[in-house]
Coordinates of all heavy atoms in Angstrom, one line a residue:
P1 N -24.8 -17.9 15.8 CA -25.9 -17.0 15.6 C -25.5 -15.6 15.2 O -26.4 -14.7 15.2 CB -26.6 -16.9 17.0 CG -25.4 -17.0 18.0 CD -24.3 -17.9 17.3
D2 N -24.2 -15.3 15.0 CA -23.7 -14.0 14.8 C -24.3 -13.3 13.5 O -23.9 -13.7 12.4 CB -22.2 -14.0 14.8 CG -21.6 -14.6 16.0 OD1 -22.2 -14.3 17.1 OD2 -20.6 -15.2 16.0
T3 N -25.1 -12.3 13.7 CA -25.7 -11.6 12.6 C -24.8 -10.8 11.8 O -23.7 -10.5 12.2 CB -26.9 -10.8 13.1 OG1 -26.3 -9.7 13.9 CG2 -27.9 -11.6 13.9
N4 N -25.3 -10.3 10.6 CA -24.5 -9.5 9.8 C -24.1 -8.1 10.5 O -23.0 -7.6 10.3 CB -25.2 -9.2 8.4 CG -24.3 -8.4 7.5 OD1 -23.4 -8.8 6.9 ND2 -24.7 -7.1 7.3
D5 N -25.1 -7.6 11.2 CA -24.9 -6.3 11.9 C -23.7 -6.5 13.0 O -22.9 -5.5 13.1 CB -26.2 -5.9 12.6 CG -27.2 -5.5 11.7 OD1 -26.9 -5.2 10.5 OD2 -28.4 -5.5 12.0
L6 N -23.7 -7.6 13.7 CA -22.6 -7.8 14.6 C -21.3 -8.0 13.9 O -20.3 -7.4 14.3 CB -22.9 -9.0 15.5 CG -21.9 -9.5 16.5 CD1 -21.7 -8.3 17.5 CD2 -22.3 -10.8 17.2
Q7 N -21.3 -8.7 12.8 CA -20.0 -9.0 12.1 C -19.6 -7.7 11.4 O -18.4 -7.5 11.2 CB -20.2 -10.1 11.1 CG -20.5 -11.4 11.7 CD -20.4 -12.6 10.7 OE1 -19.6 -12.5 9.8 NE2 -21.3 -13.6 10.9
M8 N -20.5 -6.8 11.1 CA -20.1 -5.5 10.5 C -19.2 -4.7 11.4 O -18.3 -4.0 10.9 CB -21.4 -4.8 10.1 CG -21.1 -3.5 9.4 SD -20.2 -3.6 7.8 CE -21.3 -4.6 6.8
I9 N -19.4 -4.8 12.7 CA -18.6 -4.0 13.6 C -17.1 -4.4 13.5 O -16.2 -3.5 13.4 CB -19.1 -4.2 15.0 CG1 -20.6 -3.7 15.2 CG2 -18.2 -3.5 16.0 CD1 -21.2 -3.9 16.5
A10 N -16.9 -5.7 13.4 CA -15.5 -6.1 13.3 C -15.0 -5.9 11.9 O -13.8 -5.6 11.7 CB -15.5 -7.6 13.6
A11 N -15.8 -6.0 10.9 CA -15.4 -5.8 9.5 C -14.9 -4.3 9.3 O -13.9 -4.1 8.7 CB -16.5 -6.1 8.5
Q12 N -15.7 -3.4 9.8 CA -15.3 -2.0 9.7 C -14.1 -1.6 10.5 O -13.3 -0.7 10.2 CB -16.5 -1.1 10.1 CG -17.6 -1.2 9.1 CD -18.8 -0.4 9.5 OE1 -19.0 0.0 10.7 NE2 -19.7 -0.1 8.6
K13 N -13.9 -2.4 11.6 CA -12.8 -2.1 12.5 C -11.4 -2.6 11.9 O -10.4 -2.0 12.0 CB -13.0 -2.7 13.9 CG -11.9 -2.5 14.9 CD -12.2 -3.1 16.2 CE -11.1 -2.9 17.2 NZ -11.4 -3.5 18.6
Y14 N -11.5 -3.8 11.3 CA -10.2 -4.5 10.9 C -10.1 -4.5 9.4 O -9.0 -4.9 8.9 CB -10.2 -5.9 11.4 CG -10.2 -6.0 12.9 CD1 -11.3 -6.6 13.6 CD2 -9.1 -5.6 13.6 CE1 -11.3 -6.7 15.0 CE2 -9.1 -5.7 15.0 CZ -10.2 -6.2 15.7 OH -10.2 -6.3 17.0
G15 N -11.1 -4.1 8.6 CA -11.0 -4.2 7.2 C -10.6 -3.0 6.4 O -10.2 -2.0 7.0
V16 N -10.6 -3.1 5.1 CA -10.2 -2.1 4.2 C -11.5 -1.3 3.8 O -12.6 -1.7 4.0 CB -9.5 -2.6 2.9 CG1 -8.2 -3.3 3.3 CG2 -10.4 -3.6 2.2
K17 N -11.3 -0.2 3.1 CA -12.5 0.5 2.6 C -13.1 -0.2 1.3 O -12.3 -0.7 0.5 CB -12.1 1.9 2.2 CG -11.7 2.8 3.4 CD -11.3 4.2 2.9 CE -10.9 5.1 4.1 NZ -10.6 6.5 3.7
P18 N -14.4 -0.3 1.3 CA -15.0 -1.0 0.1 C -14.7 -0.2 -1.2 O -14.5 1.0 -1.2 CB -16.5 -0.9 0.4 CG -16.6 -0.7 1.9 CD -15.4 0.1 2.3
V19 N -14.6 -1.0 -2.3 CA -14.3 -0.4 -3.6 C -15.5 -0.7 -4.5 O -16.3 -1.6 -4.3 CB -13.0 -0.9 -4.2 CG1 -11.8 -0.5 -3.3 CG2 -13.1 -2.4 -4.3
E20 N -15.6 0.1 -5.6 CA -16.8 0.0 -6.5 C -16.6 -1.2 -7.4 O -17.5 -2.0 -7.6 CB -16.9 1.3 -7.3 CG -17.4 2.4 -6.4 CD -18.8 2.3 -5.8 OE1 -19.6 1.5 -6.4 OE2 -19.0 2.8 -4.7
H21 N -15.5 -1.3 -8.2 CA -15.4 -2.2 -9.2 C -14.1 -3.1 -9.1 O -13.2 -2.8 -8.2 CB -15.3 -1.5 -10.6 CG -16.4 -0.5 -10.8 ND1 -17.7 -0.9 -11.1 CD2 -16.4 0.8 -10.8 CE1 -18.5 0.2 -11.2 NE2 -17.7 1.2 -11.0
R22 N -14.0 -4.2 -9.8 CA -12.9 -5.1 -9.8 C -11.6 -4.3 -10.1 O -10.5 -4.6 -9.6 CB -13.1 -6.2 -10.8 CG -14.1 -7.2 -10.3 CD -13.7 -8.1 -9.1 NE -14.6 -9.0 -8.7 CZ -14.7 -10.3 -9.2 NH1 -13.8 -10.7 -10.1 NH2 -15.6 -11.1 -8.7
A23 N -11.7 -3.4 -11.1 CA -10.5 -2.6 -11.4 C -10.0 -1.8 -10.2 O -8.8 -1.7 -10.0 CB -10.8 -1.7 -12.6
D24 N -10.9 -1.3 -9.4 CA -10.5 -0.6 -8.2 C -9.9 -1.5 -7.2 O -9.0 -1.2 -6.4 CB -11.7 0.1 -7.6 CG -12.3 1.1 -8.6 OD1 -11.6 1.7 -9.3 OD2 -13.6 1.3 -8.5
A25 N -10.4 -2.8 -7.2 CA -9.9 -3.8 -6.2 C -8.4 -4.1 -6.5 O -7.7 -4.4 -5.6 CB -10.7 -5.1 -6.3
E26 N -8.0 -4.0 -7.8 CA -6.6 -4.2 -8.0 C -5.7 -3.3 -7.3 O -4.6 -3.6 -6.9 CB -6.3 -4.1 -9.6 CG -7.0 -5.1 -10.4 CD -6.5 -6.5 -10.2 OE1 -5.3 -6.6 -9.8 OE2 -7.2 -7.5 -10.3
N27 N -6.1 -2.0 -7.1 CA -5.3 -1.0 -6.4 C -5.4 -1.2 -4.9 O -4.5 -0.7 -4.2 CB -5.8 0.4 -6.7 CG -5.7 0.7 -8.2 OD1 -4.7 0.3 -8.8 ND2 -6.6 1.5 -8.7
S28 N -6.3 -2.0 -4.4 CA -6.4 -2.3 -3.0 C -5.7 -3.5 -2.5 O -5.6 -3.8 -1.3 CB -7.9 -2.4 -2.6 OG -8.6 -1.2 -2.8
K29 N -5.1 -4.2 -3.4 CA -4.4 -5.5 -3.1 C -3.1 -5.3 -2.3 O -2.6 -6.3 -1.8 CB -4.1 -6.3 -4.4 CG -5.3 -6.9 -5.0 CD -5.0 -7.7 -6.2 CE -6.3 -8.3 -6.9 NZ -6.0 -9.1 -8.1
T30 N -2.7 -4.1 -2.2 CA -1.5 -3.8 -1.3 C -1.9 -4.0 0.1 O -1.0 -4.3 1.0 CB -1.0 -2.4 -1.5 OG1 -2.1 -1.4 -1.3 CG2 -0.5 -2.2 -2.9
S31 N -3.2 -3.9 0.5 CA -3.7 -4.1 1.8 C -4.3 -5.5 2.1 O -4.7 -5.9 3.2 CB -4.8 -3.1 2.2 OG -4.3 -1.8 2.0
L32 N -4.2 -6.3 1.0 CA -4.8 -7.7 1.1 C -3.8 -8.7 0.7 O -2.8 -8.4 0.1 CB -6.0 -7.8 0.1 CG -7.1 -6.8 0.2 CD1 -8.1 -6.9 -0.9 CD2 -7.9 -7.0 1.6
V33 N -4.0 -9.9 1.1 CA -3.1 -11.0 0.8 C -3.9 -12.1 0.1 O -5.1 -12.3 0.3 CB -2.5 -11.6 2.1 CG1 -1.6 -10.6 2.8 CG2 -3.5 -12.1 3.1
Y34 N -3.2 -12.8 -0.8 CA -3.8 -13.8 -1.7 C -4.0 -15.1 -0.9 O -3.1 -15.6 -0.1 CB -2.8 -14.1 -2.9 CG -3.3 -15.1 -3.8 CD1 -4.5 -14.9 -4.6 CD2 -2.6 -16.3 -4.0 CE1 -4.9 -15.8 -5.5 CE2 -3.1 -17.3 -5.0 CZ -4.2 -17.0 -5.7 OH -4.7 -17.9 -6.6
I35 N -5.1 -15.7 -1.0 CA -5.5 -17.0 -0.3 C -5.7 -18.1 -1.2 O -6.2 -19.2 -0.8 CB -6.7 -16.7 0.6 CG1 -7.9 -16.4 -0.2 CG2 -6.4 -15.7 1.7 CD1 -9.2 -16.4 0.5
G36 N -5.3 -18.0 -2.5 CA -5.7 -19.0 -3.4 C -4.8 -20.2 -3.4 O -5.1 -21.2 -4.1
A37 N -3.8 -20.3 -2.6 CA -2.9 -21.5 -2.6 C -2.6 -21.8 -1.1 O -1.9 -21.1 -0.5 CB -1.6 -21.2 -3.3
N38 N -3.2 -22.9 -0.6 CA -3.0 -23.3 0.8 C -3.2 -24.8 0.9 O -4.1 -25.4 0.2 CB -4.0 -22.6 1.6 CG -3.6 -22.7 3.1 OD1 -3.8 -23.8 3.7 ND2 -3.1 -21.6 3.7
P39 N -2.3 -25.5 1.7 CA -2.5 -27.0 1.7 C -3.7 -27.5 2.5 O -4.1 -28.6 2.5 CB -1.2 -27.4 2.4 CG -0.8 -26.2 3.3 CD -1.2 -25.0 2.4
Y40 N -4.3 -26.6 3.3 CA -5.4 -27.0 4.2 C -6.8 -26.8 3.6 O -7.8 -27.4 4.1 CB -5.4 -26.2 5.5 CG -4.1 -26.3 6.3 CD1 -3.3 -25.2 6.6 CD2 -3.6 -27.6 6.7 CE1 -2.1 -25.4 7.3 CE2 -2.4 -27.7 7.4 CZ -1.7 -26.6 7.7 OH -0.5 -26.8 8.4
Y41 N -7.0 -26.0 2.6 CA -8.3 -25.8 2.0 C -8.2 -25.5 0.5 O -7.1 -25.2 0.0 CB -9.0 -24.6 2.7 CG -8.2 -23.3 2.7 CD1 -8.3 -22.5 1.6 CD2 -7.5 -22.9 3.8 CE1 -7.6 -21.3 1.5 CE2 -6.8 -21.7 3.7 CZ -6.8 -20.9 2.6 OH -6.1 -19.8 2.6
D42 N -9.3 -25.6 -0.2 CA -9.4 -25.2 -1.6 C -10.3 -24.0 -1.8 O -11.1 -23.7 -0.9 CB -9.9 -26.4 -2.4 CG -8.9 -27.6 -2.5 OD1 -7.7 -27.3 -2.4 OD2 -9.3 -28.7 -2.6
I43 N -10.1 -23.4 -2.9 CA -10.9 -22.2 -3.3 C -11.8 -22.5 -4.5 O -11.3 -23.0 -5.5 CB -10.0 -21.0 -3.6 CG1 -9.1 -20.7 -2.5 CG2 -10.8 -19.8 -4.1 CD1 -9.8 -20.1 -1.3
D44 N -13.1 -22.2 -4.3 CA -14.0 -22.4 -5.4 C -13.7 -21.3 -6.5 O -13.2 -20.3 -6.2 CB -15.4 -22.2 -4.9 CG -16.3 -23.4 -5.1 OD1 -15.7 -24.5 -5.4 OD2 -17.5 -23.4 -4.7
P45 N -14.0 -21.6 -7.8 CA -13.9 -20.6 -8.8 C -14.8 -19.4 -8.4 O -16.1 -19.6 -8.4 CB -14.3 -21.3 -10.1 CG -14.1 -22.7 -9.8 CD -14.3 -22.9 -8.4
M46 N -14.3 -18.3 -8.1 CA -15.1 -17.2 -7.6 C -15.5 -16.2 -8.7 O -14.7 -15.6 -9.4 CB -14.3 -16.4 -6.5 CG -14.0 -17.2 -5.3 SD -13.1 -16.3 -4.0 CE -12.9 -17.5 -2.8
K47 N -16.9 -16.1 -8.9 CA -17.4 -15.2 -9.9 C -17.8 -13.9 -9.3 O -17.7 -12.9 -10.0 CB -18.6 -15.8 -10.6 CG -18.3 -17.1 -11.4 CD -19.6 -17.7 -12.0 CE -19.3 -19.0 -12.8 NZ -20.5 -19.5 -13.4
R48 N -18.2 -13.9 -8.1 CA -18.6 -12.6 -7.4 C -17.8 -12.2 -6.2 O -18.2 -11.6 -5.3 CB -20.1 -12.8 -7.0 CG -21.1 -12.9 -8.1 CD -21.1 -11.7 -9.0 NE -21.9 -11.9 -10.3 CZ -21.3 -11.7 -11.4 NH1 -20.1 -11.3 -11.5 NH2 -22.1 -11.9 -12.5

């Protein structure tokens, strides 16, 4: 039942600062890790 408001508390505590565009996201990848290759799950083609 965990609502977006509840999840937002953890997101702001453990996450990175939001960015405006995909180009800006490239500069934030130093704080993120790639999840596109894993034996336990698959990744959908992500448009958004």
Side-chain angles (χ1 to χ4, degrees):
D2 301 324
T3 63
N4 184 75
D5 292 339
L6 178 61
Q7 296 193 33
M8 180 60 65
I9 297 174
Q12 293 176 340
K13 180 178 180 180
Y14 298 112
V16 296
K17 292 182 178 181
V19 296
E20 292 295 331
H21 308 286
R22 288 289 180 91
D24 300 327
E26 293 294 331
N27 298 326
S28 298
K29 287 182 180 179
T30 55
S31 303
L32 304 172
V33 295
Y34 181 65
I35 60 168
N38 193 284
Y40 300 122
Y41 57 82
D42 289 332
I43 301 291
D44 246 2
M46 295 183 178
K47 297 181 179 179
R48 295 294 170 236

